[in-house]
Amino acid sequence: MLVPLSWLKEYIDFELSVDELVDQLNLSGTAVESVRFMGKGLDYVRIGQLLEVEPHPDADKLSVTKVDIGQAEPLQIVCGAKNIKPGDKVPVALVGATLPNGIEIKAAKLRGVTSRGMLCSQIELRLGTDAAGIYILPEDVEVGALFTEALGLDDVVVDLEITPNRPDCLAMIGVAREVRAITGNELRKPAVSVKEGTGKAEDAATIVIDDLELCPRYAARIIKGVKVGPSPAWMEQRLQKAGMRPINNIVDITNLVMLETGQPLHAFDLKTLKEGKIIVRRAKPGEKITTLDGVERELDRNMLVIADSDVPVALAGVMGGAETEVTDATVDILLESAYFEPDSIMRTARKMGLLSEASARFEKGVDPNGAVYAADRAAQLIAEYAGGEVLAGVIDVYPEKIEPRTLQLRTDRVNGILGTTLSLPEITDILEKLELKVSVIDGTDNMSVSVPTFRPDLEREIDLIEEVARIFGYNNIESTLPESSGKQGGLSHRQKTVESIKARLLASGLSEIITYSLIDPREVDKLQVPEGDPLRWFVKLMNPLSEELSVLRTTLLVNLLKVLKYNVNREQYDVQVFEVGHIFWHENGKEMPDEEAMLGIALTGAWQADEWHEKARNIDFFDLKGAVEAVLDEIGVTGWSLRQFAHPVLHPGKSAELLIGDEPIGYFGELHPDVLAAFDMPTAYVGELNMDKLIDNAIVSRELIEIPKHPAITLDIAVLVADTVAQEKLIELIEAEGKPLLEQAKLFDLYTGKGVPDGKKSMAYTMVFRASERTLTDEETLDARDRIIARLNKELGAEIRM
């Protein structure tokens, strides 16, 4: 938003210097991008009038001009532009000038003809983008005057960065309101007084809104008998400073009022509207419109259009149509001032590639209750500068008025959030400077605040507190430390447990990774899980950045495997990683999604590289099992067991489920060949454990055990059992029967082959016996061993292998 300070001062007086104003705006949250001093580099530019324009005697594309600049003798200047004629008033850069674009003006001979100066275009003066010809000035400027003074360019233009939630600041009055809040000075809005004729507007045109959802309000003024022509110099200058190109008095007035109030306006040539009708509706399939830029555009059902009784005549809130534009022949106009639904305008503007000053305001949200004020203001100016009669009355279709929002604000809440000691009157004063209406609730320090419709960003109490903070001044709020209860900081049990698990896995040679919680749902297809599986209970984003980041992950495995694949593709074949993160799922029939913390592990390649003393060994199921057991040991989990587990992701027969008691905690194993093929990667082992359940079963404190004073006795046994018997079952029976003397039992050999019958396996265990208060005898140890053998034989049919 370009804000000429000379224009801003028409609405509010202030004594701040430019630097002070910039600082105050920045501190109040209205960021200043740049400041431009308009007259810089134009000190040697004067107003000249062309006396003669003759062809150059030795160059077809050049002209030789005589220019009166108010001195005794006219200047001779050679020029290449073709849009000049005698009598035109133009900017003349004198010898010695250095223009804003860096051009230095010197006396020179061009094809043998002396040239003393330069006739300037808008772009050379940095006053516009037109480089096609010389800048032709209004007829009423004084010959010989300084260019900056004649055109009011001794001005400063501040470029404001307006955030999407502050459409009110896309208007001069809105910026003036901010300055009022900063300075406390009086805000002066233009007084509007429309002199109406005897005819009635409602007799000249009819307005119908077919889609009130996309257009809650449409107002119009009718002006008859206008004379289209150039705008007065002051209006053209004002528009140019604000970054807009003057066109004619009617269009310029609509743009001027838009910049002033923030309400976009559009003028239709009334005679081109069939039956004098305006119908606000959605476009019909196959309809087309030629817009003001001369491009024919095809419309769709989602676009809002302004139509007459037959065809669309404008893209609502975006651009008018070529068939109904104001031309030099226009006599009667219909002036539109409406409120359109912001999202609709944004979609249409982007689909059509038409980002205009009007659409930029509509898509952020204009004030629905400011439409008539803007229409009256424009009608008043049109009557003054284009003549004509303003017909009586405003045609205003506004079935359901949009009322101001009312919010409650608590004084203690303001001070509690900001750390201030502001009083009720001080808070009220700040809010009223912003044109918010404040009513104090009797007997309290609380307020009821009516939020005007030009501030759609103020929706909650905290928004009002932010308004108080920025106008009071963030720099005036003391920096204070948060109140403390006196408790010392420290990690919670959960945090300690998570850190312990991470440390153990890192010490075991794994690397921690952190990946996005958002995934591509198509990646889950590679896991080969069927429809309806919990891994497909996605939590979907309403407005994702892309399909690749459109759902929250239901498992850590997808990203773990992508990390393995990424490394393998770069010839890093030995990868062992883990991640602690959250998964999310939304079960059908449940109102809200669920979320759990998980531990994921993924291994591929070799555990260690080739060494001189040892060859590399590929990772297998037992390496992954060892990592899981290391985690359980680290946090002191007891009562856990493993059982066979079938899962579409895992290889049948090479997977296991972890339980604590009877509660499933997670699973791990070798990836299924189909999953490996889908990810196009070598053999890998993965696991996923429920971190929340692990933490719940972690032992907070450990018991220290005294170093044994008495020796242990070690015995080995080897038993034949069916190959379907799990080793966990054998350990469970050995430990149960060996109590209280058995200290440890450990599998040291597993054998199948020669000497072992089919369907059997040989398992050998080392058993350590010890008594804490005395030395064991051989008889006690052998008796315990025999009990263990008998129990294994009875429950598992185990045979002692000699």
Side-chain angles (χ1 to χ4, degrees):
M1 175 73 182
L2 296 177
V3 179
L5 296 191
S6 62
W7 190 0
L8 181 64
K9 287 182 177 180
E10 288 199 5
Y11 310 108
I12 187 165
D13 295 323
F14 55 90
E15 301 300 326
L16 300 172
S17 68
V18 174
D19 288 343
E20 289 172 336
L21 178 64
V22 168
D23 288 342
Q24 290 296 321
L25 288 172
N26 281 325
L27 287 172
S28 68
T30 307
V32 176
E33 286 193 336
S34 63
V35 177
R36 182 184 171 199
F37 293 85
M38 294 288 294
K40 188 175 181 180
L42 302 179
D43 295 340
Y44 286 82
V45 180
R46 293 186 175 272
I47 304 297
Q49 185 170 29
L50 294 171
L51 304 176
E52 298 177 9
V53 180
E54 302 291 342
H56 192 289
D58 196 26
D60 294 340
K61 295 183 178 181
L62 298 179
S63 300
V64 179
T65 69
K66 297 285 186 179
V67 188
D68 178 10
I69 62 167
Q71 296 180 352
E73 296 292 331
L75 295 179
Q76 178 173 282
I77 297 176
V78 178
C79 177
K82 298 299 182 184
N83 68 322
I84 53 176
K85 64 183 185 301
D88 285 343
K89 292 183 179 179
V90 295
V92 181
L94 305 180
V95 172
T98 300
L99 297 180
N101 63 359
I103 294 177
E104 295 183 9
I105 308 302
K106 299 178 181 178
K109 280 192 175 184
L110 299 177
R111 292 288 185 94
V113 177
T114 301
S115 180
R116 296 186 174 278
M118 186 176 81
L119 309 185
C120 301
S121 66
Q122 287 187 5
I123 198 167
E124 289 161 342
L125 301 173
R126 288 193 177 173
L127 297 177
T129 58
D130 187 2
I134 300 304
Y135 183 11
I136 307 301
L137 302 175
E139 296 179 1
D140 57 357
V141 294
E142 182 183 350
V143 173
L146 285 173
F147 179 72
T148 54
E149 292 180 0
L151 271 73
L153 296 178
D154 48 347
D155 201 354
V156 179
V157 177
V158 177
D159 188 2
L160 301 180
E161 178 186 359
I162 307 301
T163 55
N165 66 324
R166 290 300 306 275
D168 59 301
C169 285
L170 288 172
M172 294 298 300
I173 291 174
V175 177
R177 188 184 295 115
E178 291 292 298
V179 176
R180 177 201 181 189
I182 293 169
T183 63
N185 295 342
E186 182 183 355
L187 176 66
R188 299 185 298 271
K189 292 183 183 179
V192 175
S193 177
V194 181
K195 184 179 180 181
E196 297 180 334
T198 56
K200 293 183 179 181
E202 60 186 21
D203 295 335
T206 304
I207 296 173
V208 177
I209 302 178
D210 279 351
D211 196 319
L212 286 169
E213 180 184 356
L214 299 187
C215 179
R217 186 180 196 181
Y218 193 102
R221 274 283 193 179
I222 307 295
I223 305 100
K224 288 194 170 185
V226 301
K227 181 176 177 57
V228 179
S231 297
W234 70 265
M235 190 179 297
E236 290 189 351
Q237 294 164 16
R238 189 163 285 184
L239 290 173
Q240 287 171 338
K241 291 178 189 177
M244 301 197 76
R245 179 173 61 90
I247 298 174
N248 59 50
N249 51 1
I250 303 298
V251 176
D252 291 351
I253 287 170
T254 63
N255 286 334
L256 183 83
V257 173
M258 177 187 69
L259 293 173
E260 182 178 70
T261 66
Q263 171 67 53
L265 304 170
H266 184 71
F268 294 96
D269 186 328
L270 182 60
K271 289 185 178 179
T272 64
L273 296 174
K274 294 180 182 178
E275 300 180 20
K277 277 190 176 180
I278 287 288
I279 303 173
V280 187
R281 59 172 172 83
R282 291 176 184 264
K284 299 174 184 177
E287 279 190 318
K288 295 181 180 180
I289 184 174
T290 300
T291 45
L292 287 172
D293 55 2
V295 177
E296 184 180 68
R297 303 177 187 275
E298 186 168 348
L299 310 176
D300 64 44
R301 184 77 180 83
N302 295 320
M303 296 178 181
L304 189 70
V305 298
I306 311 301
D308 59 17
S309 61
D310 188 16
V311 296
V313 296
L315 275 173
V318 179
M319 185 174 283
E323 297 298 321
T324 57
E325 73 172 314
V326 172
T327 66
D328 291 345
T330 298
V331 176
D332 302 331
I333 63 172
L334 182 148
L335 184 64
E336 167 194 283
S337 182
Y339 174 74
F340 302 116
E341 197 276 322
D343 289 344
S344 169
I345 302 303
M346 180 178 65
R347 286 191 296 267
T348 300
R350 276 151 181 73
K351 186 166 185 178
M352 290 296 187
L354 291 172
L355 303 181
S356 61
E357 290 284 349
S359 68
R361 286 164 172 80
F362 276 126
E363 69 183 40
K364 291 177 176 65
V366 301
D367 181 7
N369 293 316
V372 170
Y373 173 82
D376 286 348
R377 171 73 168 148
Q380 176 185 5
L381 292 173
I382 289 172
E384 183 175 352
Y385 293 102
E389 176 189 22
V390 181
L391 298 192
V394 180
I395 308 174
D396 186 11
V397 182
Y398 194 14
E400 297 181 15
K401 184 177 180 180
I402 299 173
E403 298 291 347
R405 182 184 293 113
T406 299
L407 301 175
Q408 304 301 310
L409 182 62
R410 297 162 288 175
T411 300
D412 59 351
R413 184 65 173 162
V414 173
N415 290 320
I417 291 288
L418 303 182
T420 54
T421 57
L422 294 171
S423 65
L424 177 62
E426 288 174 315
I427 296 171
T428 300
D429 181 60
I430 289 173
L431 296 178
E432 288 180 342
K433 287 177 182 176
L434 293 167
E435 293 192 41
L436 278 65
K437 295 180 180 178
V438 181
S439 300
V440 178
I441 299 174
D442 291 341
T444 71
D445 280 343
N446 301 333
M447 293 153 275
S448 177
V449 182
S450 177
V451 179
T453 48
F454 61 74
R455 289 299 304 272
D457 58 309
L458 302 182
E459 299 177 333
R460 302 172 299 160
E461 181 182 33
I462 194 66
D463 297 327
L464 296 178
I465 294 174
E466 182 183 1
E467 292 298 290
V468 173
R470 69 183 188 85
I471 301 304
F472 177 69
Y474 294 113
N475 54 315
N476 294 322
I477 299 175
E478 292 185 18
S479 298
T480 56
L481 292 173
E483 291 186 5
S484 172
S485 61
K487 294 181 179 179
Q488 293 184 345
L491 298 179
S492 65
H493 165 61
R494 180 185 182 86
Q495 292 169 326
K496 289 178 182 178
T497 305
V498 172
E499 291 304 312
S500 294
I501 291 173
K502 290 181 178 181
R504 184 62 175 266
L505 290 173
L506 290 169
S508 298
L510 281 71
S511 299
E512 183 181 7
I513 63 171
I514 301 173
T515 63
Y516 288 122
S517 296
L518 297 171
I519 63 169
D520 185 341
R522 294 169 295 190
E523 295 287 347
V524 177
D525 294 338
K526 298 180 181 179
L527 297 180
Q528 312 300 314
V529 292
E531 292 297 329
D533 189 272
L535 294 190
R536 294 187 181 275
W537 294 351
F538 297 123
V539 179
K540 299 179 181 179
L541 271 65
M542 293 179 64
N543 187 25
L545 293 174
S546 67
E547 178 68 16
E548 288 76 18
L549 298 171
S550 61
V551 300
L552 289 169
R553 61 189 177 192
T554 53
T555 174
L556 301 182
L557 297 185
V558 167
N559 285 341
L560 286 168
L561 293 176
K562 288 175 68 177
V563 169
L564 295 191
K565 173 67 175 173
Y566 181 88
N567 282 273
V568 168
N569 286 348
R570 287 154 182 77
E571 300 184 359
Q572 301 298 315
Y573 300 108
D574 307 327
V575 186
Q576 301 90 39
V577 295
F578 73 92
E579 179 175 14
V580 175
H582 286 76
I583 64 170
F584 313 83
W585 70 96
H586 196 175
E587 188 174 355
N588 285 338
K590 294 187 69 173
E591 181 179 357
M592 296 296 293
D594 290 298
E595 174 182 357
E596 280 187 328
M598 303 294 287
L599 167 64
I601 301 174
L603 315 173
T604 190
W607 192 258
Q608 64 181 38
D610 276 330
E611 299 287 351
W612 64 271
H613 59 85
E614 185 179 6
K615 291 292 185 182
R617 177 182 62 81
N618 284 335
I619 289 169
D620 59 22
F621 173 84
F622 296 102
D623 291 310
L624 177 58
K625 178 174 177 285
V628 172
E629 290 177 344
V631 169
L632 299 173
D633 176 70
E634 177 66 26
I635 60 177
V637 173
T638 59
W640 62 270
S641 61
L642 300 175
R643 68 182 178 192
Q644 289 185 332
F645 184 64
H647 193 283
V649 175
L650 301 179
H651 192 298
K654 295 184 180 181
S655 56
E657 183 177 34
L658 173 66
L659 300 96
I660 299 178
D662 296 326
E663 184 178 26
I665 302 299
Y667 57 86
F668 60 91
E670 182 180 326
L671 273 181
H672 195 287
D674 291 344
V675 178
L676 291 173
F679 279 92
D680 188 24
M681 59 183 298
T683 301
Y685 298 84
V686 298
E688 195 167 24
L689 308 179
N690 189 305
M691 182 65 82
D692 293 327
K693 294 178 180 179
L694 286 175
I695 294 169
D696 290 342
N697 288 278
I699 295 177
V700 179
S701 58
R702 303 292 183 90
E703 181 181 354
L704 298 179
I705 300 175
E706 186 179 4
I707 296 175
K709 297 178 180 179
H710 303 281
I713 296 177
T714 302
L715 295 177
D716 295 342
I717 62 170
V719 295
L720 286 174
V721 295
D723 58 11
T724 57
V725 175
Q727 109 92 3
E728 283 76 12
K729 185 63 177 177
L730 282 160
I731 285 290
E732 178 185 341
L733 293 176
I734 291 171
E735 290 178 344
E737 196 61 38
K739 291 179 180 179
L741 300 180
L742 182 65
E743 185 177 88
Q744 183 183 32
K746 186 176 181 180
L747 177 70
F748 70 86
D749 184 57
L750 170 64
Y751 174 72
T752 57
K754 186 177 180 181
V756 175
D758 290 342
K760 299 281 188 177
K761 59 184 176 183
S762 171
M763 304 185 75
Y765 292 88
T766 290
M767 300 181 295
V768 178
F769 297 89
R770 191 195 310 269
S772 60
E773 75 287 351
R774 58 188 172 81
T775 300
L776 284 179
T777 64
D778 290 341
E779 290 78 8
E780 289 176 299
T781 306
L782 292 173
D783 179 63
R785 182 199 65 182
D786 292 342
R787 291 199 314 272
I788 291 171
I789 293 171
R791 179 80 176 271
L792 295 178
N793 178 263
K794 178 181 178 182
E795 297 200 18
L796 301 178
E799 302 173 21
I800 294 297
R801 182 165 177 258
M802 305 305 292

